[in-house]
Amino acid sequence: AQSVTQLGSHVSVSEGALVLLRCNYSSSVPPYLFWYVQYPNQGLQLLLKYTSAATLVKGINGFEAEFKKSETSFHLTKPSAHMSDAAEYFCAVSDSLGNQGGKLIFGQGTELSVKP
Amino acid sequence: DAGITQSPRHKVTETGTPVTLRCHQTENHRYMYWYRQDPGHGLRLIHYSYGVKDTDKGEVSDGYSVSRSKTEDFLLTLESATSSQTSVYFCAISDTRAGGVETQYFGPGTRLLVL
């Protein structure tokens, strides 16, 4: 069965600093991995996804994530934090092998705070 | 924007009352999902649908039922609401646009408070 662990429920960085949000997964099949962002009182917005085409995935708003099979990790990074990046971030794994009808298994979420 | 709307957006109800939440999509997606979001748990799947009148249970389905009589509407019903069902509920659709790999897109959510 698939599972996702996000290390750190709260991460605080200064504006301009590196953002690193950690995600480790467990999957018995080749994983399809996702990062979503949720701004206050809004729904989830797709940041990026890993689909086995490339291990380094670039997403929206300057975020990227690197798939490391040996470490079963899919950490999210951004070189320089902006105040507007303050939000909750969710890592998820799909059990569908990329086909329709799969179910997403989410991590617990990491709330990112950005200090001026 | 995947053309997903949820109604109501906010709801306050009393314990023991039945509640129905509606998810509406405009792009003819086959797969639809209901999740609940609770602090420390991320999102957890309640029920999903793979077509009209075709539904199945998710991880936390107890106390919930769903119906899908039209492609565009997926209803979530709390038969007799309890305080433990106070949560934020999200609807999602599945789409294989942009590279062919299935991706889920989410609605704006419904915030439910059960007193």
Side-chain angles (χ1 to χ4, degrees), chain B residues 1-78:
Chain B
D1 184 0
I4 306 169
T5 57
Q6 293 185 230
S7 58
R9 293 293 313 279
H10 302 272
K11 175 84 175 174
V12 180
T13 191
E14 295 186 350
T15 299
T17 304
V19 176
T20 295
L21 309 182
R22 178 181 184 237
C23 177
H24 179 77
Q25 54 120 342
T26 59
E27 298 182 357
N28 204 36
H29 297 290
R30 178 182 174 191
Y31 289 88
M32 299 182 74
Y33 305 81
W34 275 108
Y35 293 87
R36 61 178 287 174
Q37 181 183 17
D38 304 289
H41 291 278
L43 278 76
R44 292 177 292 174
L45 182 65
I46 305 171
H47 281 279
Y48 65 101
S49 170
Y50 45 97
V52 172
K53 298 187 177 171
D54 291 323
T55 65
D56 206 348
K57 296 178 179 180
E59 177 188 357
V60 290
S61 59
D62 287 349
Y64 301 95
S65 62
V66 290
S67 65
R68 192 165 178 203
S69 58
K70 300 185 289 185
T71 298
E72 58 266 34
D73 289 326
F74 191 30
L75 304 181
L76 176 71
T77 297
L78 288 65

